[in-house]
Amino acid sequence: MNTDYNLDHLDELEAESIYVIREVAAQFERPAILFSGGKDSIVVTHLAAKAFAPARIPMPLVHIDTGHNFPETLAFRDELVDRLGVRLIVGSVQQTIDDGLVKEETGVHASRNRLQTTTLLNTIEEHAFDACIGGARRDEEKARAKERFFSHRDDFGQWDPKNQRPELWNLFNGKHRPGEHFRVFPLNNWTELDIWNYITREQIDLPSLYFAHERECIVRGTTILAHSAYLNLKPDERPVTMQVRFRTLGDLTITGAIESDADTLEKITAEVAATRITERGGRMDDKRSSSAMEDRKKEGYF
């Protein structure tokens, strides 16, 4: 019998991720997929659809809406949910502010990115989710590199990098006490280039923001930000029309763009292969301190 399946690199990554997603469905009672509308969460959702086909994805998509999202992201989210026939749960940062649980930041560097941690933890508690699947990858940022596939969170939603469980031979221990939960990262072993090669191979639809387009922008230091009503401008800042695209999507006030003419998947893949700057290099929230991401993760951030 011929046992040579000729699996290539992307096939192996896909198989591993689908295995992790199915393990979540097998081990947990109330799992969910954290959906940001970015390329990684879209790939996770695509993998989940494959994992359970021909049935529908048996867990809801959870989106934490900062209120400062790109309109293109929200439109794409709603279209995808309708197409897949999955349940969507939206946690509102604006509602968390209105309830007095967090305080809106002020000043030119104000962002709602840190505020969404409270909204996320409240949403997890409200719906009693015991596992939340996310699209984080180890190559994104140094704090991400410490993650396992199954990332244990205590009953306060906090992450302790020194208290993660071993995952020998891809055996995952999802046991947890009441109130605790896991964040699960099926894309841990993928790189940004792997993601784009897979998107190209699978012809996965993405928000138009990932492709080169003209946009009014604000150049702040080395970061290019999309001009919007949510961005507090410095006295000398003026919007300028530029041809840009985004490598990562998040809150409008902190997501940096890059100048680019890459308007096809093939051009984007070639651009990513040639760059030496990480995709989060333009994220203003990661520049607040050298340990910004790790500090937020310990508080319960994604």
Side-chain angles (χ1 to χ4, degrees), residues 255-266:
T255 303
I258 60 170
E259 291 190 85
S260 173
D261 63 358
D263 55 2
T264 66
L265 290 176
E266 290 74 21

Side-chain angles (χ1 to χ4, degrees), residues 214-232:
E214 287 195 346
R215 192 178 207 96
E216 281 199 335
C217 299
I218 299 295
V219 179
R220 182 170 292 176
T222 59
T223 302
I224 302 172
L225 296 172
H227 180 48
S228 74
Y230 309 123
L231 192 63
N232 298 325

Side-chain angles (χ1 to χ4, degrees), residues 6 61 144 215 224 234 268:
N6 294 318
L61 301 187
R144 301 281 203 211
R215 192 178 207 96
I224 302 172
K234 298 178 181 179
I268 292 173

Side-chain angles (χ1 to χ4, degrees), residues 42-57:
I42 292 169
V43 168
V44 167
T45 304
H46 178 82
L47 290 165
K50 276 196 165 187
F52 303 110
R56 293 180 179 178
I57 299 173

Side-chain angles (χ1 to χ4, degrees), residues 19 24 40 43 48 102 106 122 135 173 177-178 185 194 201 229 285:
Y19 169 71
V24 171
D40 299 312
V43 168
V102 294
T106 59
N122 288 346
N173 179 1
R177 298 183 180 90
F185 304 112
D194 291 330
R201 188 185 83 172
D285 51 327

